[in-house]
Amino acid sequence: MSRTTHPADIVGPPVPVLSVGPVVLPAPGRAVDLEMRVSAPVTGAELPIILLSHGQGHSNHLSSLHGYAPLADFWAAHGFVVIQPTHLSSATLSLDPGTPGAPLYWRSRAEDMTRILDRLDVIETAVPQLRGRLDPSRVAVAGHSMGGHTASLLLGARLTDPDDGTEVDLTEPRIKAGVLLAAPGSGGDALTEFVVENYSFLRTTDFSRMSTPALVVAGDKDESAHLTVRGAAWHTDPYVLSPGRKTLLTLFGAEHGLGGISGYDVAETTDENPERVSAVQRLTWAYLHTELYPGSSAWQTARAALTSGPGAFGRVESK
């Protein structure tokens, strides 16, 4: 198979998508109400749900409900309802830097996802075309970069709150599977001095109880020198250090943007590669479809087509 070919039978043909935003959830106690974008196929019932957590790049709007269209559009066109909250860390909100939790709001990010699952009825009311079409028993979470950290907490990773020294457990049992895209790895001496001083919550990341099934996606050229002294291998920690069923997809030649998943033609992508993005779209879709629908052969098909032979986009290992 050539690098430009993606067999249609990996995912099937796309369907029209409706996308509504901002959908606003009242959020007492949060600095502002929770805004999100909801994207879904226009047809179908008992639709599975993906909660998509944005990263924290340099652009103003990618870190909000306006970002990650290459993933959200694709997943929705192939049968998922994709919900994208704007976390408090988004530059679009222009919050006072003295707001509790600033600058990255690691706890609030995870709590946003639990709030969404608690209020799916409100979301259905706000988007009438979805009423009665959601399947709350099939929920996944996906996140890129800082969003990967958020997803890891929901999947069972722990940390010690740097403010009060307590262990934090934000595991969300309603989430059945996850995708971690260029997610942060372990803390301790793996971190740069800048991270230790400015993002101290990352010092105590512990994957030893992250037992929910997950696909960890890492670029073999993602050095992230501003975050870690360990190079690209740091982003594989959520796979290496966690228990349970996990799969690692290492993308050849990929840097932190994994080819450009955070938006179409965005300046902060250092490794722009539409073919790589296409492979990520299909592999992540196939993984989640197989996890949420046991017996599905989607992952087996996508893995064989995209990670084997001379045109392989990456390599896969599982445990």
Side-chain angles (χ1 to χ4, degrees):
M1 187 188 73
S2 71
R3 291 178 64 86
T4 56
T5 301
H6 297 294
D9 61 1
I10 293 178
V11 297
V15 300
V17 169
L18 65 88
S19 186
V20 182
V23 174
V24 181
L25 277 184
R30 195 174 183 268
V32 294
D33 286 339
L34 177 58
E35 295 188 348
M36 69 198 77
R37 177 176 298 280
V38 180
S39 302
V42 297
T43 58
E46 297 184 338
L47 299 172
I49 299 164
I50 299 176
L51 307 177
L52 176 54
S53 181
H54 62 71
Q56 204 60 39
H58 300 297
S59 299
N60 289 321
H61 290 87
L62 295 179
S63 295
S64 75
L65 61 84
H66 300 293
Y68 292 85
L71 295 180
D73 291 352
F74 184 88
W75 291 337
H78 292 90
F80 283 92
V81 175
V82 183
I83 303 178
Q84 298 173 256
T86 296
H87 297 305
L88 292 179
S89 57
S90 175
T92 62
L93 298 179
S94 300
L95 295 181
D96 187 309
T99 303
L104 294 184
Y105 301 92
W106 58 267
R107 185 190 292 269
S108 172
R109 280 171 150 267
E111 291 173 345
D112 287 344
M113 302 309 204
T114 292
R115 190 185 302 269
I116 289 169
L117 293 180
D118 287 344
R119 304 307 305 274
L120 289 175
D121 59 330
V122 177
I123 294 171
E124 287 192 18
T125 299
V127 186
Q129 299 91 334
L130 281 182
R131 189 168 295 133
R133 299 176 60 211
L134 301 180
D135 184 351
S137 73
R138 289 188 170 100
V139 178
V141 65
H144 175 235
S145 192
M146 183 60 194
H149 180 268
T150 301
S152 72
L153 293 178
L154 293 163
L155 296 171
R158 310 293 171 86
L159 58 75
T160 300
D161 189 324
D163 293 329
D164 61 18
T166 59
E167 183 183 69
V168 178
D169 178 7
L170 296 170
T171 307
E172 177 48 73
R174 288 172 289 187
I175 293 174
K176 307 305 182 185
V179 173
L180 306 182
L181 300 148
S186 60
D189 57 8
L191 304 178
T192 63
E193 184 177 344
F194 172 82
V195 171
V196 171
E197 292 178 355
N198 292 275
Y199 309 134
S200 57
F201 64 91
L202 288 173
R203 294 175 59 189
T204 56
T205 302
D206 176 9
F207 297 109
S208 67
R209 284 172 284 181
M210 193 180 80
S211 58
T212 307
L215 172 66
V216 177
V217 183
D220 67 2
K221 302 299 182 185
D222 184 4
E223 299 294 328
S224 297
H226 61 300
L227 298 175
T228 182
V229 298
R230 283 186 44 219
W234 185 60
H235 294 287
T236 69
D237 283 352
Y239 170 78
V240 174
L241 301 177
S242 65
R245 287 190 295 111
K246 299 292 188 298
T247 298
L248 174 64
L249 168 63
T250 302
L251 293 171
F252 300 148
E255 299 177 12
H256 200 60
L258 304 180
I261 63 170
S262 63
Y264 299 113
D265 300 320
V266 300
E268 68 184 44
T269 298
T270 58
D271 65 330
E272 187 170 11
N273 187 318
E275 292 177 336
R276 181 177 298 134
V277 173
S278 184
V280 172
Q281 290 169 332
R282 284 156 173 78
L283 287 161
T284 54
W285 178 92
Y287 175 83
L288 291 177
H289 190 273
T290 298
E291 283 295 331
L292 296 179
Y293 295 90
S296 167
S297 62
W299 173 246
Q300 182 180 358
T301 301
R303 175 177 177 173
L306 299 170
T307 66
S308 61
F313 288 89
R315 64 178 180 271
V316 172
E317 56 189 281
S318 298
K319 64 179 184 178

